[in-house]
Structures are given as C-alpha cells and as structure tokens.
C-alpha cells in the first residue's frame, strides 16, 4: 500500500536517546529559523502554500518509473522542493511530510522523528541548495547549469542524507560504521540516480511551463549565502567523515562511548549469570519467566474484560 | 477513485478510542522512550512492555492481527542491525565460515533493538488507528506545537487525499497508454531515461497545479476573513478518568524504567 | 470476428464491497459509434476502465479485437483501446504537447521517424498541428481535451473510448469537439450526459443504471421514450 521511497526512515529503537535528542534540538532550531524566513517571504500566504505543497510532495512520492525487473525509481522531493521554493520553504514542507509519515503511517519512528527530519528535510534541502548554487555559479546561469544542477542536487540530497543516517546508526551502536556507511551509501548512490532523474524531469517541465518560478526561486534565495555554505560544509564533512568512520569503526565507537551515546558493552564472560539479585530471586531466567507470567496475566485479564463487556453489550 | 484507504483511523467506541488524544499522545511517546531507554538484555522488562501494549491493543477492540500486520512495517530496517550479530565481541555462540562468529552479546543487542522497534511501532499504530487526525492535531497543538505548524499540517491533511487522487489518476492515464505494438520487433517501454522523464513531468505538473491550487485556496480563505492569524476554539478539559490513566501508566512506565536501569544498567 | 469489443456477463465489485457492474453484456461492431448514458454512479466509468484492463476483470469475459483483456495481452490491448479520461489534466503530464502525444508511440518502441509522423497525423486529426511545441499546462480546457484525444489517436487504436468528453466545455469548444469526433472514422464508445450531442453524433445508445444495462437500441428510439429517460434520471 505505502512504501518508503528510500529505505531511510529510521524506526524507533534504532537510535540511542542522546543521538535522538541532539538531532531533535538541531532540527527544532533550524525549523524555527525556516519559519521566520518563510513567514517574511510569503506572509499570509504561507499556510496555504506550505500546506498544499506538503500534500503534493507527499502524493508525489507515489510517482514512480520502472527500472528493471520489478524495481522502480521514486521521488523523495527535497531537491525538487528546494529548487522550486528555496531551501527554507523546502525544510518546512518536508518536515510536515516526514512528520505525518511517522505519526500516521509509522513510516519512521516518533522519538527518532527529529533525526528523520534532520536527514531528509534539513540535510536534504541544504545539500540540494549547495549543489544547485554551485552549478549556477559554474554555468553562469545558463540552461545546462539548471539541468545538471537538478540532477546532481537530487542525487546528492539522497546520497548525503543516507550517509548522515548511517553515521547516526553507527553513533548509536546499532550498526557498525564499516558496514552501515558502505551499505547505506552504496544503495543510496543508486537510489539517488532515480531521484536525480525525476527531479530533472520535473524541473524541465516547470522550465517549459513556468520559467518565472525558477527565477524567483533563485532570487529570494540569493540573500542566504550561509545556507549554501552550510550545505556545502555538511556535504564535505559527511563525505569525508563517512569513509573515515567506516575505515576506523573503533574510532567512532570510542567517540560514541566517550560522549555517552553508547551503552558500554559489558565485559564478556561476566554477564552469563548476572550477579544482581531480584528481591528473592537470584536468576535472570527466573525473572524472565516471572515477567512472562505477569504479562500473560495482564493480557488475559484485559482479554476477559473485553469479552465480558462485549457480552454485556450484545445481550 | 478514492484515496481514503490512506487514513489509518479505524472507527470504534472502545476505551482506547475514547481516551483523550492528548493523553494518548503523551503515553505513546513515554512508552516509546521507556522502551528506548531499557538496556539491552533486560528481557523481563521488554516482556512487560510488550504485554502492556498488547493489552491496550485488546482493549481497542481492533484485533491483534490488525496490529501485527501493521507492525511489520519496521521489519526491513532490522537489516541495518544484523551485522551486530558478528561484530560485537563476546562469548561465541556459533562459529560461522569466513572466520565470523555470532556472539552472545551481539545476539542480545540485535534482539533488543528489534524488540524495541517492534513494540514501539505497535504503540504508534495504536495511536494512529484509534485517534482521528483532527484529534491528533489538537493534541499536538495542546502539547506546544506552534499554531502555524498545526495550521499547515491541517491544510496538508485536507488536501492529501485530493493530491493522492490526482497522482493515482495520472498513473492510471499513463498505464492506459502504455501499450505494445502489433509488430513483435518493437521492444515496448522506451528507455529508462525517457521513463524517468515522464515520471518527472508528472511530478512537475503536480507541483504547478498545486501551486495554482494554493493560490485559489488563499483567495477563498481571504474571502472568509482570513488575516494570517490562526484562531482555534479552546480545548475541552480532561476528564478525571483521563488524568487517572495518565498518572497510572506514567507511574508504571517509570517504575519499569527505573527497575531496568538498576538491574541491567 | 466482426466485433471490436465483446463483453459477456461482466460483473465488478469495488474493494469496499460496492457492486459497480452487474452482469454486463455488450458488443461493439466495427465502425459503430455508441453512447453510454446513465445517472452519476451508474457504473459508466467503471465499465470503460475495464476495456483496457485498468480495472482487472473479476467475473465474465471481455475481448478487444478478439484478444482476451488480461495477462499477457494487456500490452497489446492498451495500444488498441484509446481511453480518454474525463479530466485532460490527468492525461497531459509532459513538458510539451508533442511529448504528450508521442508517449504512446514511444512506449511501443516505434522508430523515431514513425513517432514523429504519428504525432503529426494525430494533431492534424484534432486540428491542433500548430500546437506541437506548445506547453500543455497553458492550454484552454477545450484545447487540452483535443490534445488528450490526440494522445490516444497517435496509438492508432481500434476503438476510441471517451469519458464525458463535453463536460466543462463552453459551447464553441463543445461544437468543435463534436465536429471533430464526427469526422473520426473509428469505432467509439462515449459515456456522456450530453443528450443533444448523443442525438447528433452517436447512432446507438446504451442506458446504464445501478451497474446494469437497462436499455440498448437506436438513439432515436431511446431518446424519444420520455418514461425510460425519466426512470433513469435522464429527463431532458
Ligand atoms: N475506487 C472506488 N471505490 C469504491 N467505489 C467506487 C470507486 N469508484 C467508483 N465507485 C462507485 O462505483 C459506482 C460507479 O461509479 P462510476 O463508474 O464512476 O459511475 P459513473 O461514471 O457512471 O458516474 C459509484 O457508486 C461509485 O461511488
Ligand atoms: Mg464517470
């Protein structure tokens, strides 16, 4: 029925709480800035424009094209939204999309929502913006800059967001960096091609039908130099840090442990028979069984309650 | 075409349906936090958390099967944690070829992560399937989400179904013209690049039409007196039973958390 | 094989349990122009979507040019059935008119020269030749409608299927469209509420209501039976 356009929505349980909290804080700060920027650009029109476009991006993620043998390319939309609306509006629109996906469709977790917003809405938009600006500069505003820029922005937004996702998993001790980074990076380097192509197709159409939109998108973005500098920095840092982390996974684990992101793995050998005592019970196995019994009783009681109230209702 | 299948809300009058949405939202987040903070290997605590969410599912009257099906969503991501089996040092349980071995600590961490995500997803499904979207929106507003954000998300939800319908109709129109030539010499389908550009064209026209639609909506809002300020009616107070449920469940979660931290932390 | 479309005992129920088609049996001979009329919700669109397998057949039989509409025939059938949707916006999703009209032929894998030729022919048929490089997005509804028809004519279909073609058109655009359809030498089935158009253009009429065919005969006879029309919400 529903699918993730790219396997990048982290579910709950996969990030450690400190990582999740830090990314929440970062995301909230940037969303707040985005709100200020967009409000001053759009004024009263903000609500309808952002709301309808968020719905459009959400629906647009259902668009696909077949690649080969049952696989297909999809759209995530961060690059498209950035090119057409500017980076700040894009952050808002994608935050709404990612938030709804988590809250209503369980596509990505709730406690880790800050991280998913960070990866897909913020990193995605910033990186896309940096790439688009780079191509504009290089091409001097000529057509090939727009074409090449849309493809590259689509690709990079997916690829770099995936690297961020992999690093977060590694920092949380959920997936070792030397496996997560190449795996996520590799898969999304391919998925990103689909994103780049669809973004290119969409921008081509807008260029044909409403070239004015692309121009205005570039103009009010000009004021925000630091966005594309930041986007460029994120790209560079992640692109350099990821291979580093993946070739020294112990280094990252060390950082994570120092920062308290990781529950320290207990010393091997000591934990087979833990040396704590449950009040009156001395063994984890017994505690587990006890918990199982308590749990089953709870479930049973509720089931009986439901059955009983149903009977009462039907009579 | 009707995209209503998107709405995960299931009609009902169960106690879970009737619990105030604000309380539900807080409890679901507290529950997911608790499971995230429960240390790996604290099996008794995980068992109790699981029975807690199972009980709530039973109370919701929607049937456990429904929840199990929806909870499969998080499953593919478990792949990301799979390497832990062989990369965590510890007591060797099973030696594999290529010099790899599954360790007890690795297994413990892997299962804990999978369990956490499985029970967390169930809690999230419970929230979404027993609470209407406007209720969730109100709850988010009550818990401090900025008015503007709530207004945007509300409008997004309103037009989500319209947009999805639009996309489905476009896809349908594309399928209708995706035919094969009568001469077997021609390979149908065109190139990958061309197909991607067609999909991109759909995305582009969807975007343009949405932008124009948002203009019309804005004018309709102005016509009814919209001035950029979002107003809403005050929310009704909480019933005593809502407070009671909130208090008891939070206490329960907190004690489970403290217990797990003391015994396994 | 004298019939382009043969439908036998076709029934269809939507996933929500609504029975939209109830034992439909219908034949279309070569060159026939048939109207499909009936109140909103009668099942007209549902029936049309079956003709090229967009909605999968549940019970009964459908054949187009002798091909069973299912499985491996779907590709062929989709080229044979030119389905024009009610809203042309859904059908026009490419940057230019040319790209849209070329979709079908390119998908079929035809050589570039033939694609260009087909596009040109199709646009001539709908009197829009000079629009080839225009952007679909900016056309008027009437123009979009004609382009939408061209996008299926370029596939050289055996049967043209139109869902409410005159809905939302102003009188002049409607007139142009009717003249254009009159000149097309091709089998067609048209779902419509526009009874004056039906009378003018389509010699045979099929009346549907609640998923069933309730009348089928010469348009002149059916449209001059006020009782029948009133019973099915079609009074003029
Ligand atoms: N996707 C759908 N799901 C459920 N019911 C549908 C769907 N599409 C149409 N219907 C119902 O099927 C019946 C026939 O619809 P339709 O074929 O569109 O009628 P018409 O085109 O004659 O107005 C209507 O009652 C309609 O509500
Ligand atoms: Mg209809």
């Amino acid at each position: 029925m529903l699918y993730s356009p790219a396997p990048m929505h982290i579910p709950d349980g996969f990030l450690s709480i400190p990582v999740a909290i830090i990314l929440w804080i970062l995301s909230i700060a940037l969303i707040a800035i985005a709100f200020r920027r967009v409000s001053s650009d759009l004024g009263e029109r903000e609500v309808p424009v952002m709301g309808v476009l968020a719905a459009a991006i959400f629906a647009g993620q259902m668009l696909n094209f077949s690649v080969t043998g049952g696989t297909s390319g999809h759209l995530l939309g961060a690059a498209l939204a950035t090119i057409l609306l500017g980076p700040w509006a894009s952050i808002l629109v994608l935050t709404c999309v990612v938030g709804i996906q988590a809250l209503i469709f369980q596509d990505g977790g709730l406690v880790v929502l800050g991280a998913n917003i960070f990866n897909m809405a913020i990193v995605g938009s910033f990186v896309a913006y940096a790439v688009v600006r780079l191509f504009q500069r290089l091409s001097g505003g000529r057509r090939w800059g727009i074409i090449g820029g849309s493809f590259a922005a689509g690709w990079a937004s997916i690829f770099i967001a995936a690297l961020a996702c992999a690093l977060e998993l590694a920092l949380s001790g959920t997936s070792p960096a030397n496996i997560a980074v190449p795996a996520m990076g590799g898969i999304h380097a391919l998925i990103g091609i689909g994103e780049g192509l669809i973004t290119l197709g969409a921008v081509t159409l807008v260029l044909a039908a409403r070239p004015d939109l692309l121009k205005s998108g570039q103009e009010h973005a000009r004021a925000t130099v630091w966005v594309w500098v930041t986007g460029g920095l994120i790209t560079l840092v992640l692109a350099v840090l990821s291979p580093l982390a993946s070739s020294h996974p112990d280094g990252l684990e060390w950082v994570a442990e120092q920062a308290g992101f990781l529950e320290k793995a207990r010393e091997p050998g000591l934990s087979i028979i833990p040396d704590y005592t449950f009040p009156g019970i001395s063994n984890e196995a017994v505690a587990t069984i006890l918990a199982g019994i308590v749990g089953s009783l709870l479930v049973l009681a509720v089931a009986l309650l439901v059955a009983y109230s149903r009977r009462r209702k039907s009579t | 075409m009707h995209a209503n299948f998107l709405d995960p809300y299931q009609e009902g009058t169960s106690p879970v349906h009737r619990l105030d949405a604000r309380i539900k939202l807080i409890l679901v987040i507290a529950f997911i936090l608790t499971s995230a903070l429960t240390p790996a290997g604290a099996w008794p605590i995980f068992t109790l958390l699981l029975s807690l969410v199972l009980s709530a599912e039973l109370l919701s009257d929607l049937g456990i099967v429904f929840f199990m099906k929806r909870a499969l969503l998080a499953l593919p991501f478990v792949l990301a944690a799979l390497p832990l089996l062989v990369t965590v040092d510890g007591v060797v349980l099973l030696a594999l070829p290529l010099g790899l071995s599954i360790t007890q600590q690795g297994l413990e961490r892997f299962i804990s992560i999978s369990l956490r995500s499985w029970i967390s997803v169930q809690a999230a499904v419970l929230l979404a399937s027993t609470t209407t979207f406007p209720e969730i929106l109100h709850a988010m507003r009550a818990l401090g989400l900025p008015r503007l954000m709530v207004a945007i998300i509300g409008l997004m939800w309103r037009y989500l179904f319209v947009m999805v319908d639009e996309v489905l109709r476009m896809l349908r129109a594309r399928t209708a013209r995706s035919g094969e030539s009568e001469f077997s010499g021609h390979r149908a389908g065109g190139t990958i690049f061309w197909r991607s550009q067609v999909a991109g064209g759909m995305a582009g026209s969807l975007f343009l039409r949405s932008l124009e639609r948002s203009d019309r909506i804005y004018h309709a809002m102005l016509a009814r007196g919209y001035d950029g300020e979002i107003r809403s009616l005050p929310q009704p107070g909480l019933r005593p039973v809502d407070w009671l449920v909130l208090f008891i469940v939070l206490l329960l979660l907190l004690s489970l958390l403290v217990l797990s931290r003391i015994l396994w932390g | 094989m004298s019939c382009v479309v043969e439908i036998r005992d076709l029934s269809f129920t939507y996933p929500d349990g609504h029975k939209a088609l109830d034992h439909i049996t219908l034949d279309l001979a070569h060159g026939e122009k048939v109207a499909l009329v009936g109140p909103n919700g009668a099942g007209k669109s549902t029936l049309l979507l079956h003709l090229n397998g967009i909605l999968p057949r549940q019970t009964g039989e459908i054949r187009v040019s002798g091909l069973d509409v299912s499985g491996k025939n779907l590709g062929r059938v989709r080229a044979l059935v030119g389905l024009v949707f009610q809203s042309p916006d859904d059908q026009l999703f490419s940057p230019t008119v040319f790209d849209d009209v070329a979709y079908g032929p390119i998908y079929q894998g035809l050589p570039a020269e033939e694609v260009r030729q087909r596009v040109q022919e199709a646009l001539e048929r709908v009197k829009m030749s000079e629009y080839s490089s225009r952007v679909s997005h900016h056309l008027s509804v009437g123009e979009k409608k004609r382009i939408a028809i061209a996008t299926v004519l370029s596939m050289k279909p055996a049967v043209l299927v139109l869902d409410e073609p005159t809905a939302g058109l102003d009188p002049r655009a409607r007139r142009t469209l009717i003249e254009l359809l009159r000149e097309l030498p091709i089998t067609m089935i048209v779902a419509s509420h526009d009874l004056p158009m039906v009378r003018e253009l389509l010699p045979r009429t099929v009346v549907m209501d609640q998923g069933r065919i309730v009348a089928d005969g010469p348009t002149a006879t059916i449209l001059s039976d006020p009782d029948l029309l009133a019973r099915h919400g079609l009074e003029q």
Side-chain angles (χ1 to χ4, degrees), chain A residues 136-152:
Chain A
Q136 259 171 22
R137 282 284 164 89
L138 291 179
S139 68
R142 276 188 294 273
R143 194 182 154 85
W144 70 263
I146 299 180
I147 300 293
S150 346
F151 175 79

PDB file of all heavy atoms in Angstrom, chain A residues 136-152:
ATOM      1  N   GLN A 136      24.937  26.787 -10.648  1.00  0.00           N
ATOM      2  CA  GLN A 136      24.595  28.112 -11.174  1.00  0.00           C
ATOM      3  C   GLN A 136      25.845  28.938 -11.403  1.00  0.00           C
ATOM      4  O   GLN A 136      26.033  29.550 -12.445  1.00  0.00           O
ATOM      5  CB  GLN A 136      23.706  28.845 -10.180  1.00  0.00           C
ATOM      6  CG  GLN A 136      22.255  28.831 -10.551  1.00  0.00           C
ATOM      7  CD  GLN A 136      21.419  29.367  -9.423  1.00  0.00           C
ATOM      8  OE1 GLN A 136      21.923  30.106  -8.574  1.00  0.00           O
ATOM      9  NE2 GLN A 136      20.177  28.977  -9.402  1.00  0.00           N
ATOM     10  N   ARG A 137      26.717  28.929 -10.392  1.00  0.00           N
ATOM     11  CA  ARG A 137      27.968  29.677 -10.495  1.00  0.00           C
ATOM     12  C   ARG A 137      28.785  29.207 -11.693  1.00  0.00           C
ATOM     13  O   ARG A 137      29.247  29.997 -12.519  1.00  0.00           O
ATOM     14  CB  ARG A 137      28.805  29.476  -9.226  1.00  0.00           C
ATOM     15  CG  ARG A 137      28.341  30.284  -8.055  1.00  0.00           C
ATOM     16  CD  ARG A 137      28.777  31.729  -8.242  1.00  0.00           C
ATOM     17  NE  ARG A 137      28.067  32.616  -7.355  1.00  0.00           N
ATOM     18  CZ  ARG A 137      28.484  32.919  -6.130  1.00  0.00           C
ATOM     19  NH1 ARG A 137      29.607  32.405  -5.674  1.00  0.00           N
ATOM     20  NH2 ARG A 137      27.779  33.719  -5.369  1.00  0.00           N
ATOM     21  N   LEU A 138      28.949  27.882 -11.759  1.00  0.00           N
ATOM     22  CA  LEU A 138      29.793  27.318 -12.808  1.00  0.00           C
ATOM     23  C   LEU A 138      29.249  27.623 -14.193  1.00  0.00           C
ATOM     24  O   LEU A 138      29.991  27.905 -15.128  1.00  0.00           O
ATOM     25  CB  LEU A 138      29.922  25.803 -12.634  1.00  0.00           C
ATOM     26  CG  LEU A 138      30.738  25.352 -11.418  1.00  0.00           C
ATOM     27  CD1 LEU A 138      30.786  23.838 -11.341  1.00  0.00           C
ATOM     28  CD2 LEU A 138      32.147  25.917 -11.491  1.00  0.00           C
ATOM     29  N   SER A 139      27.919  27.557 -14.337  1.00  0.00           N
ATOM     30  CA  SER A 139      27.340  27.701 -15.669  1.00  0.00           C
ATOM     31  C   SER A 139      27.029  29.161 -15.987  1.00  0.00           C
ATOM     32  O   SER A 139      26.625  29.467 -17.106  1.00  0.00           O
ATOM     33  CB  SER A 139      26.050  26.893 -15.761  1.00  0.00           C
ATOM     34  OG  SER A 139      25.077  27.487 -14.929  1.00  0.00           O
ATOM     35  N   GLY A 140      27.184  30.037 -15.017  1.00  0.00           N
ATOM     36  CA  GLY A 140      26.831  31.435 -15.241  1.00  0.00           C
ATOM     37  C   GLY A 140      25.360  31.604 -15.584  1.00  0.00           C
ATOM     38  O   GLY A 140      25.002  32.436 -16.400  1.00  0.00           O
ATOM     39  N   GLY A 141      24.498  30.781 -14.995  1.00  0.00           N
ATOM     40  CA  GLY A 141      23.060  30.922 -15.197  1.00  0.00           C
ATOM     41  C   GLY A 141      22.558  30.339 -16.504  1.00  0.00           C
ATOM     42  O   GLY A 141      21.412  30.536 -16.878  1.00  0.00           O
ATOM     43  N   ARG A 142      23.409  29.611 -17.220  1.00  0.00           N
ATOM     44  CA  ARG A 142      22.944  29.034 -18.483  1.00  0.00           C
ATOM     45  C   ARG A 142      22.128  27.778 -18.237  1.00  0.00           C
ATOM     46  O   ARG A 142      22.108  27.234 -17.140  1.00  0.00           O
ATOM     47  CB  ARG A 142      24.131  28.741 -19.401  1.00  0.00           C
ATOM     48  CG  ARG A 142      24.571  29.965 -20.192  1.00  0.00           C
ATOM     49  CD  ARG A 142      25.624  29.586 -21.220  1.00  0.00           C
ATOM     50  NE  ARG A 142      26.863  29.149 -20.583  1.00  0.00           N
ATOM     51  CZ  ARG A 142      27.839  29.992 -20.213  1.00  0.00           C
ATOM     52  NH1 ARG A 142      27.723  31.282 -20.429  1.00  0.00           N
ATOM     53  NH2 ARG A 142      28.927  29.536 -19.640  1.00  0.00           N
ATOM     54  N   ARG A 143      21.455  27.329 -19.312  1.00  0.00           N
ATOM     55  CA  ARG A 143      20.498  26.248 -19.182  1.00  0.00           C
ATOM     56  C   ARG A 143      21.132  24.968 -18.632  1.00  0.00           C
ATOM     57  O   ARG A 143      20.546  24.272 -17.809  1.00  0.00           O
ATOM     58  CB  ARG A 143      19.850  25.994 -20.547  1.00  0.00           C
ATOM     59  CG  ARG A 143      18.605  25.143 -20.479  1.00  0.00           C
ATOM     60  CD  ARG A 143      18.061  24.906 -21.882  1.00  0.00           C
ATOM     61  NE  ARG A 143      17.300  23.672 -21.897  1.00  0.00           N
ATOM     62  CZ  ARG A 143      16.013  23.609 -21.548  1.00  0.00           C
ATOM     63  NH1 ARG A 143      15.370  24.675 -21.202  1.00  0.00           N
ATOM     64  NH2 ARG A 143      15.386  22.445 -21.568  1.00  0.00           N
ATOM     65  N   TRP A 144      22.351  24.661 -19.085  1.00  0.00           N
ATOM     66  CA  TRP A 144      22.920  23.383 -18.645  1.00  0.00           C
ATOM     67  C   TRP A 144      23.140  23.363 -17.142  1.00  0.00           C
ATOM     68  O   TRP A 144      23.114  22.317 -16.491  1.00  0.00           O
ATOM     69  CB  TRP A 144      24.206  23.035 -19.417  1.00  0.00           C
ATOM     70  CG  TRP A 144      25.410  23.900 -19.100  1.00  0.00           C
ATOM     71  CD1 TRP A 144      25.840  24.978 -19.806  1.00  0.00           C
ATOM     72  CD2 TRP A 144      26.346  23.733 -18.023  1.00  0.00           C
ATOM     73  NE1 TRP A 144      26.956  25.516 -19.241  1.00  0.00           N
ATOM     74  CE2 TRP A 144      27.295  24.760 -18.137  1.00  0.00           C
ATOM     75  CE3 TRP A 144      26.468  22.824 -16.966  1.00  0.00           C
ATOM     76  CZ2 TRP A 144      28.356  24.913 -17.251  1.00  0.00           C
ATOM     77  CZ3 TRP A 144      27.524  22.966 -16.085  1.00  0.00           C
ATOM     78  CH2 TRP A 144      28.454  24.005 -16.223  1.00  0.00           C
ATOM     79  N   GLY A 145      23.322  24.555 -16.570  1.00  0.00           N
ATOM     80  CA  GLY A 145      23.503  24.624 -15.126  1.00  0.00           C
ATOM     81  C   GLY A 145      22.242  24.194 -14.393  1.00  0.00           C
ATOM     82  O   GLY A 145      22.292  23.495 -13.382  1.00  0.00           O
ATOM     83  N   ILE A 146      21.088  24.596 -14.931  1.00  0.00           N
ATOM     84  CA  ILE A 146      19.822  24.219 -14.302  1.00  0.00           C
ATOM     85  C   ILE A 146      19.585  22.723 -14.457  1.00  0.00           C
ATOM     86  O   ILE A 146      19.229  22.027 -13.508  1.00  0.00           O
ATOM     87  CB  ILE A 146      18.665  25.013 -14.935  1.00  0.00           C
ATOM     88  CG1 ILE A 146      18.899  26.506 -14.698  1.00  0.00           C
ATOM     89  CG2 ILE A 146      17.339  24.572 -14.359  1.00  0.00           C
ATOM     90  CD1 ILE A 146      17.833  27.395 -15.274  1.00  0.00           C
ATOM     91  N   ILE A 147      19.837  22.221 -15.683  1.00  0.00           N
ATOM     92  CA  ILE A 147      19.608  20.800 -15.954  1.00  0.00           C
ATOM     93  C   ILE A 147      20.539  19.938 -15.102  1.00  0.00           C
ATOM     94  O   ILE A 147      20.102  19.068 -14.348  1.00  0.00           O
ATOM     95  CB  ILE A 147      19.852  20.505 -17.457  1.00  0.00           C
ATOM     96  CG1 ILE A 147      18.898  21.346 -18.307  1.00  0.00           C
ATOM     97  CG2 ILE A 147      19.710  19.031 -17.747  1.00  0.00           C
ATOM     98  CD1 ILE A 147      17.462  20.973 -18.173  1.00  0.00           C
ATOM     99  N   GLY A 148      21.845  20.204 -15.247  1.00  0.00           N
ATOM    100  CA  GLY A 148      22.820  19.408 -14.493  1.00  0.00           C
ATOM    101  C   GLY A 148      22.634  19.589 -13.000  1.00  0.00           C
ATOM    102  O   GLY A 148      22.732  18.623 -12.230  1.00  0.00           O
ATOM    103  N   GLY A 149      22.330  20.816 -12.603  1.00  0.00           N
ATOM    104  CA  GLY A 149      22.148  21.101 -11.186  1.00  0.00           C
ATOM    105  C   GLY A 149      20.984  20.322 -10.594  1.00  0.00           C
ATOM    106  O   GLY A 149      21.068  19.822  -9.480  1.00  0.00           O
ATOM    107  N   SER A 150      19.873  20.186 -11.336  1.00  0.00           N
ATOM    108  CA  SER A 150      18.736  19.458 -10.768  1.00  0.00           C
ATOM    109  C   SER A 150      19.070  17.995 -10.583  1.00  0.00           C
ATOM    110  O   SER A 150      18.741  17.403  -9.558  1.00  0.00           O
ATOM    111  CB  SER A 150      17.486  19.551 -11.636  1.00  0.00           C
ATOM    112  OG  SER A 150      17.596  20.527 -12.595  1.00  0.00           O
ATOM    113  N   PHE A 151      19.727  17.419 -11.602  1.00  0.00           N
ATOM    114  CA  PHE A 151      20.063  16.006 -11.439  1.00  0.00           C
ATOM    115  C   PHE A 151      21.012  15.818 -10.260  1.00  0.00           C
ATOM    116  O   PHE A 151      20.773  14.993  -9.373  1.00  0.00           O
ATOM    117  CB  PHE A 151      20.712  15.447 -12.719  1.00  0.00           C
ATOM    118  CG  PHE A 151      21.188  14.036 -12.546  1.00  0.00           C
ATOM    119  CD1 PHE A 151      20.292  12.982 -12.605  1.00  0.00           C
ATOM    120  CD2 PHE A 151      22.528  13.770 -12.277  1.00  0.00           C
ATOM    121  CE1 PHE A 151      20.722  11.688 -12.401  1.00  0.00           C
ATOM    122  CE2 PHE A 151      22.963  12.479 -12.072  1.00  0.00           C
ATOM    123  CZ  PHE A 151      22.054  11.435 -12.136  1.00  0.00           C
ATOM    124  N   ALA A 152      22.080  16.623 -10.239  1.00  0.00           N
ATOM    125  CA  ALA A 152      23.085  16.458  -9.188  1.00  0.00           C
ATOM    126  C   ALA A 152      22.494  16.744  -7.812  1.00  0.00           C
ATOM    127  O   ALA A 152      22.794  16.045  -6.841  1.00  0.00           O
ATOM    128  CB  ALA A 152      24.274  17.377  -9.456  1.00  0.00           C
TER     129      ALA A 152
END
